Amino acid sequence: MTPITIWGTAGRNIPVDSRRPLGGHNVITLVFETGRPARIDRYAESSSGPMGAAARERGIRSAVGTPVIVEGRLWGLIFAGSTLEQPLPPDIETRLASFTELVATAIANAASRASLARLAEEQAALRRVATLVARATPPQVVFAAVAEEAGRLLAVDFAILVRYDPQGTLEVVGTWTRTGAPAPTPVGGRLPLGGRNVTTLVYQTGRPARIDYSDVSGVIGQVASRDWGLRSSIGVPVSAESRLWGCMVVAFSRQGTLPLPADTEAQLAGFTELVATAIANADSRAELMASRARIVAAADETRRRIERDLHDGTQQQLVTVILDLRGVQAAVPPELQGSLSRIAERVTDVLDQVREIARGIHPSILSELGLTRALKALARRSAVPVELDLRTGRRLPGHVEVAAYYAVSEALANAAKHARASVVHVGLDTPDTVVRLAIRDDGIGGADPAGGSGLTGLRDRIEAVGGTFDVTSPADGGTTLLIEIPV
Ligand SMILES: Nc1ncnc2c1ncn2[C@@H]1O[C@H](COP(=O)(O)OP(=O)(O)OP(=O)(O)O)[C@@H](O)[C@H]1O
Ligand SMILES: [Mg+2]
């Protein structure tokens, strides 16, 4: 028992907040054992146990205790003792009872206010993380936020989020330390599972685990007690799509003296669910991106093959036909030579058309001469005059050059078809890790991706390589495409 407030006339009180064991025959132990008021009139003769001794030392001759019951549970008691010869008055229990009720009500109020406040704090912390998850924030950022929010809410020394690898190791993916000092094992750190420690227990059982660091083993156990200085910790599993994905750990360091409260595991559940959602979201986004990239790549591959077939097959055959025609021209009678020549010219026109089609299907000039030369060729052929501002000389990865080329090609075609523009400005800049394209015409505006498949296809292609695509086209304000592609 712990005395929490004391009033006395003798001046030899038991200090507030000191702890004393129960046991023996005394009113405090009696109330504890029976949950009912208790009275001992002859303390000197008939009391025993530590509390009995403490009362006798202070000259108490008779005493009464009445229980304080808070929400059906024995919470404590009010003790009244007297050093006088005559026993305490017979109605003192009833008179004390009204005080114990007041005390109980006050305690219940304070407790429910505290638990309400804690609930509100928990909700706010979860809401902050949920907002990040809903905004498709990168998982690393969500992991760090989860560690911090859980750590602060539970008022622990450390909060650590780890992911299990198939090779039987764990990877630290989020950390928070109360002091703000860097985590002894930083994000990205890997440790082999095994031995007795909280993360290995969770890995093996798929269930929450608690551990006291007087008894740990394995590399993780060593690191946790030596580097982190952990004293006690709790781990709860994080499952994503019904698979054990990782573990959320909260812990106290050696300096701490508090045990982790019993409902810690339950409080962590909300956070681990949010982690699972963030992972599932990120996974499906990554899958979506990958499948988009595969579709674009497959389509490009087909176009490249058709272009090669046209080049090596149809175009070569037409060239041979033209040469043959020129060859027989001298041998035929002069009256036929004119018609033969016209046939050869028509076949040459067909060859030019096939070349043009092949170029539209796949710009082989791109792989041969690079983006800058290919864009210059596009500009030369454009029906609308083009101003080029190309601030780059370096070669870029193939998929980036192809994406940039198609963007300019589609923009020039649109300007010619729809814009009634007098000029198109094409700006290309390639600072460190990004390609920036700005294509602007001075036409009638009103470009709308929903009105055709060209702009939508372009957006797909750019986003598939992780880029961004933006169209602004106010009426009479011309059309601007802004494109950024990461390199
Ligand atoms: N530069 C522009 N100026 C004015 N209107 C434009 C411009 N670019 C596009 N538009 C309008 O937006 C619509 C959609 O363009 P988009 O390129 O997606 O399709 P499209 O050019 O009509 O057909 P395609 O599938 O062959 O490209 C066009 O039909 C046109 O009305
Ligand atoms: Mg178009």
Side-chain angles (χ1 to χ4, degrees):
M1 71 123 231
T2 311
I4 54 173
T5 184
I6 281 171
W7 175 87
T9 50
R12 284 178 295 153
N13 297 324
I14 296 177
V16 165
D17 270 349
S18 61
R19 279 167 178 267
R20 298 291 156 101
L22 294 163
H25 185 70
N26 51 69
V27 293
I28 293 175
T29 307
L30 277 172
V31 170
F32 176 73
E33 283 166 353
T34 61
R36 301 159 58 87
R39 163 187 285 262
I40 295 177
D41 280 337
R42 310 178 67 77
Y43 235 78
E45 294 81 10
S46 65
S47 71
S48 65
M51 292 315 301
R56 281 197 310 277
E57 274 164 29
R58 286 161 178 80
I60 286 180
R61 296 195 182 167
S62 63
V64 162
T66 50
V68 177
I69 311 279
V70 178
E71 285 166 358
R73 264 185 56 242
L74 177 63
W75 180 89
L77 86 160
I78 297 184
F79 172 92
S82 167
T83 52
L84 302 177
E85 189 74 56
Q86 68 271 36
L88 285 157
D91 62 344
I92 188 139
E93 286 92 336
T94 354
R95 281 159 60 192
L96 275 182
S98 46
F99 286 104
T100 57
E101 259 165 46
L102 278 179
V103 171
T105 312
I107 293 163
N109 280 348
S112 53
R113 256 200 313 281
S115 71
L116 260 181
R118 220 174 67 148
L119 197 67
E121 254 173 54
E122 183 181 333
Q123 295 301 316
L126 288 171
R127 212 166 31 242
R128 283 191 292 272
V129 177
T131 308
L132 289 182
V133 173
R135 281 197 197 131
T137 313
Q140 313 81 280
V141 180
V142 175
F143 297 158
V146 163
E148 173 171 353
E149 294 286 1
R152 282 188 195 287
L153 182 74
L154 297 169
V156 289
D157 291 324
F158 300 110
I160 310 144
L161 187 64
V162 305
R163 187 170 63 82
Y164 296 125
D165 285 339
Q167 303 82 23
T169 55
L170 64 75
E171 183 189 353
V172 175
V173 296
T175 59
W176 175 83
T177 63
R178 189 176 48 76
T179 58
T185 316
V187 166
R190 283 166 193 274
L191 299 169
L193 292 162
R196 184 175 151 77
N197 50 72
V198 89
T199 42
T200 301
L201 274 173
V202 171
Y203 181 72
Q204 287 162 347
T205 61
R207 300 161 56 89
R210 268 174 189 249
I211 217 162
D212 188 329
Y213 273 79
S214 55
D215 173 28
V216 289
S217 61
V219 176
I220 298 170
Q222 266 173 24
V223 169
S225 53
R226 190 193 55 209
D227 299 354
W228 289 76
L230 297 194
R231 193 186 70 99
S232 60
S233 69
I234 288 186
V236 292
V238 179
S239 295
E241 281 157 6
S242 65
R243 250 188 58 250
L244 179 63
W245 176 89
C247 176
M248 170 95 217
V249 180
V250 290
F252 278 118
S253 69
R254 231 169 264 138
Q255 288 78 36
T257 51
L258 293 167
L260 285 156
D263 61 349
T264 305
E265 287 91 337
Q267 284 201 290
L268 284 175
F271 288 103
T272 57
E273 261 167 45
L274 284 171
V275 171
T277 311
I279 298 159
N281 285 354
D283 282 354
S284 47
R285 259 195 313 281
E287 271 166 32
L288 199 70
M289 286 290 289
S291 84
R292 234 177 171 186
R294 276 198 304 277
I295 291 167
V296 170
D300 281 355
E301 177 51 32
T302 309
R303 297 168 79 123
R304 205 188 56 78
R305 217 190 51 239
I306 295 172
E307 191 271 336
R308 291 268 30 112
D309 288 351
L310 283 176
H311 182 267
D312 300 345
T314 317
Q315 277 171 244
Q316 292 314 315
Q317 283 171 29
L318 289 172
V319 169
T320 315
V321 170
I322 294 165
L323 289 177
D324 286 350
L325 283 172
R326 299 291 182 211
V328 295
Q329 211 169 353
V332 298
E335 64 269 28
L336 289 181
Q337 281 188 4
S339 334
L340 210 53
S341 179
R342 277 192 299 281
I343 293 173
E345 273 158 28
R346 275 165 58 198
V347 178
T348 308
D349 283 348
V350 173
L351 176 61
D352 286 343
Q353 283 171 26
V354 172
R355 270 205 194 105
E356 196 58 36
I357 292 169
R359 213 175 359 236
I361 291 173
H362 176 78
S364 57
I365 183 178
L366 205 53
S367 38
E368 283 153 24
L369 301 176
L371 183 60
T372 317
R373 300 277 295 274
L375 291 185
K376 283 179 183 159
L378 265 186
R380 266 198 309 277
R381 286 202 307 276
S382 165
V384 184
V386 178
E387 278 174 5
L388 285 178
D389 180 13
L390 311 179
R391 296 163 188 234
T392 182
R394 63 180 170 127
R395 287 299 302 263
L396 301 160
H399 67 278
V400 178
E401 291 201 331
V402 173
Y405 178 89
Y406 276 122
V408 176
S409 166
E410 174 61 25
L412 293 183
N414 278 354
K417 273 199 290 184
H418 312 294
R420 289 181 233 151
S422 64
V423 66
V424 185
H425 182 91
V426 176
L428 173 72
D429 199 4
T430 57
D432 284 355
T433 55
V434 67
V435 169
R436 219 169 271 140
L437 255 181
I439 309 156
R440 199 175 62 240
D441 69 44
D442 61 349
I444 56 168
D448 176 9
S453 62
L455 292 174
T456 308
L458 200 54
R459 179 189 297 276
D460 277 348
R461 177 181 282 283
I462 303 293
E463 288 180 0
V465 294
T468 56
F469 175 85
D470 184 56
V471 187
T472 20
S473 189
D476 289 328
T479 299
T480 305
L481 302 190
L482 289 178
I483 292 165
E484 277 198 12
I485 308 167
V487 178

